[in-house]
Amino acid sequence: MGKSKAERILDRQRQQPLDEHELDLFLGAAPRVAAPLESSDLLPAKPALDLSTEPTLLPGMVLLRGFLQPTEQQALVDDARGLGLGPGGFYKPVYASGAKCRLHQMCLGRHWNVVTEQYEAQRSNHDGAQSPPLPAHWTAIAQRSLHAAAAIDPRVMGDCRAVTPDICVVNYYKKAGRNGMHIDKDESQEAMESGSPVISFSIGSAAEFAFIDHYPAPREAVPVVRLESGDVLVFGGPSRSVVHALTRVFPNTQPEWLHMRAGRLNLTFREFQPSKFKIMHADDDDQ
Ligand code: MN
């Protein structure tokens, strides 16, 4: 009997030796070694932000510029390194087509399986590891940023009165990393229908984020926004199903003070199940 495509991918992954390169993804303690410049690197290190050219965001989208303090950013990197090198840590996902994602990923709370496009407790598309829990202090920072965003545009909350993220997808992009046009649509039906927001932290190299309220036609122009280290982007309510992509990472744009291997670390928080639909049990009180 023939094996399914997913089974063949799993077999291939099991045969691959551990990529040692992955182990030093987050060499926080080591000083950054500058790589030789390439022509594509000859961009200004940090162009002055011209607010007049900032694109208009969609209703229910808020960008909090520089919301995360440098010490907070470094602590998140250090936490991510610790979690990322442990069980259920960073790995390089492979799509059902066999194509490798151009990023490293780690899922906290629940594992998002790129092959089945569903959440699961153990990552059955890689090594069966249990998803590590979401650190409570990470959730707290996500909630604090959501409050700030809701003060600017209350529509980010959708129909939710309170949001307690129970999933964090952590993506690490090297300078050639990217992520194609997609909708974050695999949380529960209740989360999607209530417009429960996605809260996205950018740390490290700046990146270009494209967004539009429908899947664009082949040559259709799509607005982009540049996300810098410390920025928090929130999309919820009417923009919960915004079509978006990470179109490029800008090399040599990482803050000098950040101890992280060059690249972009992106933390996206969501609720799988909105709090108001969660069934409360007496023994859940300590969560
Ligand atoms: Mn996404």
Side-chain angles (χ1 to χ4, degrees), residues 156-171:
V156 295
M157 297 294 287
D159 299 334
C160 304
R161 266 201 253 163
V163 170
T164 305
D166 53 7
I167 296 171
C168 182
V169 178
V170 186
N171 288 329

Side-chain angles (χ1 to χ4, degrees), residues 138-176:
W138 282 26
T139 307
I141 305 173
Q143 287 179 314
R144 187 159 52 80
S145 40
L146 180 59
H147 287 141
I152 294 168
D153 183 355
R155 292 173 293 190
V156 295
M157 297 294 287
D159 299 334
C160 304
R161 266 201 253 163
V163 170
T164 305
D166 53 7
I167 296 171
C168 182
V169 178
V170 186
N171 288 329
Y172 174 76
Y173 300 86
K174 295 178 195 172
K175 67 179 178 184

